Each structure stands twice: as structure tokens, then as C-alpha cells.
Amino acid sequence: MNRPIRKIGDPVLRRKAKKVEKITKETQRLIDDMVETMRAADGIGLAAPQVGVSQRIAVVEIEADENVPGSGKLYVLINPEIVARSEEEQVGVEGCLSIPGWQGEVARPARITVRALDRNGQRYRLEAEGLLARVILHEIDHLDGILFLDRLTAPDRIWRVEPKPARSAA
Ligand code: ZN
């Protein structure tokens, strides 16, 4: 089920989300809904607070070929933790489904190692770089109530963008 995406100004986006203590049927349903909501919005990541649930869950999916839906790998991250980050940073442009119509420039570590539980509660480690690292860091920020606006390389490095055209129009 597609859930409404909370927009900036909604206090849930500024709350520190709670650790998931037990993965229940409700958790599974939430994850399914988050994946559906992310895909419907043409997003590459979504955190539970963005659908109004203050729990430490995020989903990330970057398509290998942007014209081929489902060509990427889907990551479910429950209680994610960054265990290592490179000193080297990468500057890139970010947007956010909760801040439609805006993009800004953010510096992030170029490479990270993250530890999380998958949707079955199995612990895994993931080494990520480039865009995947950026998206994971952006989503973990959401779990701590942080938005990309808080991390701009400079206060004026933000600008308006046209809404993304629908995939069918691409
Ligand atoms: Zn976001």
C-alpha cells in the first residue's frame, strides 16, 4: 500500500526514530509499503519517518539502468549503524521526497561500512561508495531527524528544480 509522504514542517521528520526491538508482521507490512511508496514516487531511498513512523527502518534501491524499473538491488536497513567512514568526501547533489522541488549540494564520506538487520532480522554488513553511500547516509540522517538542508556545503548551495517527469514520459 502506497502511504502518504510526510513533508518538511511535519514534526515526525525532526524526531529521533526508535530502534526496532522486534520484527513483527506489522514491520513487514511497513517495509512492503515503504518499498511501494518509494517506487511510486520514483525515489531511490525512503526512511520510515517519511511515512510517519518513527522507527529505525530505511529502504534503498538504486536502479542499475534508470530506464529499467527493478534493475537495481533493494536494501532493507533495520537499525542501521555506520561502523566506518572514509575521510575522503564526495560532494554531490541531493533531493528529498519530503522536500519536493528543491535540490542542494551536500558533502558526504565517499565510502562507508554499514551494519544493519535485513527484513528477516539477519545481521549484515555492507560496504558502499558513491551514490549508494550517499543515499544510505541521507536515509540514516532521516532516522536522526536530520534533513539534507542541514548539511549543505554552503547556505546558498540550494536551488529549485522542476518536478521530475513521470517515468512514462521519459
Ligand atoms: Zn530524504
Side-chain angles (χ1 to χ4, degrees):
M1 196 183 67
N2 199 350
R3 300 196 190 192
I5 297 176
R6 303 300 180 93
K7 301 293 173 359
I8 185 162
D10 189 315
V12 74
L13 294 174
R14 290 307 196 174
R15 216 169 282 154
K16 191 171 162 69
K18 287 208 174 70
K19 203 172 163 188
V20 175
E21 300 293 347
K22 195 163 179 246
I23 297 168
T24 62
K25 272 201 174 119
E26 203 184 315
T27 317
Q28 300 293 351
R29 197 172 315 124
L30 170 64
I31 292 166
D32 288 339
D33 288 355
M34 285 172 62
V35 171
E36 202 179 320
T37 304
M38 170 179 69
R39 288 176 176 165
D42 221 0
I44 54 179
L46 190 75
Q50 292 182 280
V51 292
V53 179
S54 202
Q55 289 185 24
R56 303 190 76 78
I57 304 175
V59 295
V60 171
E61 184 177 52
I62 298 169
E63 279 153 13
D65 178 339
E66 64 172 28
N67 296 312
V68 183
S71 63
K73 183 168 162 40
L74 174 69
Y75 296 95
V76 174
L77 301 111
I78 300 175
N79 300 337
E81 278 176 74
I82 305 295
V83 293
R85 58 182 83 215
S86 64
E87 264 177 44
E88 186 198 332
E89 291 199 319
Q90 49 168 346
V91 172
V93 173
E94 295 189 15
C96 181
L97 295 175
S98 295
I99 313 171
W102 293 91
Q103 282 187 344
E105 193 183 81
V106 179
R108 305 270 189 192
R111 288 174 305 281
I112 56 169
T113 304
V114 62
R115 194 167 63 186
L117 304 179
D118 69 12
R119 64 180 304 161
N120 302 312
Q122 295 293 332
R123 185 182 284 276
Y124 70 99
R125 273 171 91 94
L126 174 63
E127 284 179 23
E129 58 178 17
L131 182 61
L132 181 60
R134 175 174 300 280
V135 179
I136 290 171
L137 289 161
H138 176 117
E139 301 313 328
I140 292 177
D141 271 355
H142 273 298
L143 305 180
D144 292 320
I146 297 167
L147 301 173
F148 83 84
L149 302 179
D150 309 330
R151 294 201 188 276
L152 297 173
T153 50
D156 63 344
R157 296 304 290 152
I158 182 160
W159 53 87
R160 282 206 78 95
V161 284
E162 290 298 315
K164 236 187 187 180
R167 196 191 295 282
S168 56

